[in-house]
Amino acid sequence: MSTYNNQETQEIPLVKKFPKLKVLPHVNLINSPTPVEKMMRSSEILGGMNIWIKRDDLTNSKYGGNKLRKYEFVFPHIQKKNKKRILTVGGLGTNHGLANVIIANDFGIKTSLFLVDQPLTHHVRENLLCDYYYGADLNYSKDTKGAVYHILKDLVTDWSSYYLCVGASNSVGTIGFINAGLELAEQIKKGDIPEPDKIFIAVGSMGTVLGLFIGLELAGLKTKIMGISVLDENLNSTKKLQKLIRKTMNRLRKIDKSIPDVSKKLFERFSMNRSFFGGEYGRYTYEGLEAIEIARNDGIELDPVYTGKTFSALVDFCRNNPNAKNETILYWHSKSSVDLSSIYNNVNYKDLPKEFHQFFDGTVEIDDKAVHCIRKKKN
Ligand SMILES: Cc1ncc(COP(=O)(O)O)c(C=O)c1O
């Protein structure tokens, strides 16, 4: 049984704004609102900027980051369908997969992860060890085709399973970030932060950025969203984005017709930049590694796969735009900062299913080579 309760649903920004949405299954998983703080040192290092951070790394004390916002809606939705096992997919080091198994345990739901190749790094190893520790059923599928095959096979044989798409970016999970956009609007209203001119945020499966867009639009803010993709276009295309926004708006408007359909305004506010991901999901970039060093001056730990690249785009913007000094820039910190080292340091990789041993015993080498993301800009 879940250890969470949903007493606070009427208090969440989304339901305060649209009370009819209280019928949406929701559970309180987030320490909200997550703090907004000025990044004093980074602002100074970059030449007198006005850079702020939204601390979504602190969403939950077991595992923070952006996923928890989606799960506030996804898990009760799955529970309502009476499903007992989640089948989901991701890279070998998927943060979504790990966050999923940690939270699913509290709901008495099992997690099967179907994992596909990405460059092998220490972080990938750590997440695999933690997945195992938290009880995930680990399956190595090599590539997406293999993962889909296994998932379909499982779904037809086990009716109590629920397929959760990569990154939990379905029309239910996305609602969590609509709520996040409205949460930020409340913080602006309270005077915790000036209205940002720009938000820099990592984009993978797109639910995070899309929900944020809808939330800001519904709140009537003017902030532009700078989405920094960590994937190739075939994995998070504009077409997929448009499909997701249509489905999400439909889901909400079925409950409350008065909610404006904001899908048409998407590209007035949001731009997707693919210049900073280094040409391959999970590949480190020199600019991302430099960004990690800059943010450390504010005591903020970024990762090389999502948030380092996002912050490197922010650094690039500050360095190359004479007007940047006049703007309020918000960096959305989407990764967990919970320290799991006492877990992964105490798991023996030999306890994992055999097909994963190759990622620890030297058969597959650590691949933390960095590339210049500028190389991709030329393509
Ligand atoms: C740390 C981090 N930031 C950002 C994202 C991107 O979120 P989304 O998949 O909703 O685009 C992810 C996705 O896994 C992530 O792990």
Side-chain angles (χ1 to χ4, degrees):
M1 258 317 271
S2 157
T3 53
Y4 301 103
N5 66 65
N6 62 358
Q7 273 168 356
E8 293 170 43
T9 298
Q10 39 267 53
E11 293 304 320
I12 66 172
L14 181 72
V15 174
K16 277 198 269 170
K17 188 149 180 84
F18 301 107
K20 286 186 184 162
L21 296 182
K22 71 172 182 294
V23 298
L24 283 170
H26 166 265
V27 67
N28 186 30
L29 298 177
I30 305 278
N31 300 314
S32 61
T34 56
V36 279
E37 294 162 2
K38 183 151 182 197
M39 296 183 81
M40 302 298 266
R41 292 285 296 124
S42 301
S43 295
E44 203 181 296
I45 289 164
L46 293 169
M49 301 291 154
N50 191 20
I51 303 169
W52 292 69
I53 182 170
K54 174 78 169 152
R55 298 289 309 268
D56 264 13
D57 56 315
L58 304 175
T59 46
N60 183 294
S61 57
K62 285 188 191 165
Y63 193 87
N66 58 342
K67 303 301 175 225
L68 279 287
R69 291 193 180 271
K70 299 178 183 180
Y71 299 164
E72 286 206 318
F73 292 90
V74 165
F75 275 96
H77 173 80
I78 295 173
Q79 262 190 325
K80 208 171 157 205
K81 287 182 175 290
N82 212 12
K83 302 289 185 183
K84 304 282 182 247
R85 183 159 74 115
I86 290 173
L87 311 176
T88 193
V89 62
L92 283 168
T94 171
N95 295 326
H96 153 63
L98 177 55
N100 187 115
V101 64
I102 292 174
I103 301 303
N105 285 343
D106 289 337
F107 286 85
I109 295 174
K110 296 207 173 330
T111 303
S112 291
L113 300 180
F114 296 85
L115 303 176
V116 306
D117 280 335
Q118 71 176 88
L120 180 64
T121 60
H122 292 287
H123 175 71
V124 167
R125 282 185 174 170
E126 288 160 11
N127 272 15
L128 281 172
L129 295 168
C130 290
D131 291 339
Y132 172 79
Y133 172 86
Y134 280 107
D137 161 42
L138 288 169
N139 303 274
Y140 175 49
S141 301
K142 197 164 174 60
D143 55 22
T144 317
K145 251 194 206 156
V148 170
Y149 170 78
H150 282 120
I151 287 173
L152 287 176
K153 214 170 105 198
D154 271 33
L155 277 177
V156 290
T157 51
D158 181 0
W159 293 96
S160 69
S161 291
Y162 177 91
Y163 169 60
L164 182 57
C165 64
V166 64
S169 283
N170 55 21
S171 60
V172 177
T174 299
I175 296 171
F177 260 87
I178 302 178
N179 191 47
L182 293 167
E183 176 182 304
L184 177 67
E186 286 188 354
Q187 289 174 305
I188 294 167
K189 203 164 164 202
K190 262 179 45 206
D192 294 347
I193 175 175
E195 179 171 344
D197 294 284
K198 295 193 169 64
I199 295 177
F200 283 77
I201 187 161
V203 184
S205 58
M206 301 187 291
T208 298
V209 78
L210 188 61
L212 185 61
F213 157 73
I214 300 172
L216 298 188
E217 196 62 43
L218 294 176
L221 297 181
K222 293 197 176 65
T223 310
K224 296 263 186 268
I225 302 177
M226 316 296 277
I228 310 305
S229 181
V230 302
L231 297 173
D232 239 317
E233 188 161 8
N234 59 338
L235 293 168
N236 60 9
S237 63
T238 306
K239 213 167 145 193
K240 279 190 184 160
L241 189 65
Q242 283 166 327
K243 194 169 159 200
L244 184 56
I245 195 169
R246 263 198 315 276
K247 280 185 150 181
T248 309
M249 287 308 326
N250 285 346
R251 187 175 282 280
L252 297 184
R253 283 166 48 80
K254 242 194 224 165
I255 301 169
D256 184 350
K257 281 242 153 0
S258 77
I259 299 175
D261 180 358
V262 299
S263 7
K264 298 251 153 34
K265 296 195 175 162
L266 180 59
F267 294 104
E268 288 170 25
R269 178 190 291 279
F270 163 72
S271 63
M272 178 99 104
N273 189 334
R274 297 181 193 279
S275 303
F276 291 90
F277 86 105
E280 184 183 9
Y281 172 74
R283 170 70 54 218
Y284 291 4
T285 63
Y286 288 113
E287 291 82 350
L289 298 179
E290 185 208 5
I292 290 173
E293 292 303 324
I294 294 174
R296 255 184 209 145
N297 291 291
D298 281 296
I300 297 296
E301 204 52 45
L302 308 177
D303 74 290
V305 178
Y306 290 92
T307 53
K309 289 176 181 177
T310 305
F311 205 74
S312 77
L314 181 155
V315 169
D316 184 76
F317 175 80
C318 291
R319 284 181 177 154
N320 294 309
N321 285 279
N323 276 336
K325 269 192 186 147
N326 306 323
E327 297 197 347
T328 299
I329 299 170
L330 177 64
Y331 157 66
W332 201 289
H333 195 28
S334 49
K335 91 174 244 303
S336 172
S337 57
V338 175
D339 179 9
L340 298 178
S341 57
S342 63
I343 292 176
Y344 59 72
N345 285 334
N346 288 301
V347 175
N348 185 340
Y349 78 83
K350 290 185 179 150
D351 293 336
L352 272 68
K354 215 162 178 152
E355 72 243 51
F356 289 94
H357 294 187
Q358 57 182 312
F359 304 115
F360 296 88
D361 65 9
T363 309
V364 179
E365 277 176 38
I366 290 281
D367 178 4
D368 53 7
K369 287 189 295 291
V371 295
H372 279 295
C373 59
I374 202 82
R375 192 189 66 165
K376 194 65 190 165
K377 276 186 188 166
K378 289 185 191 139
N379 291 344

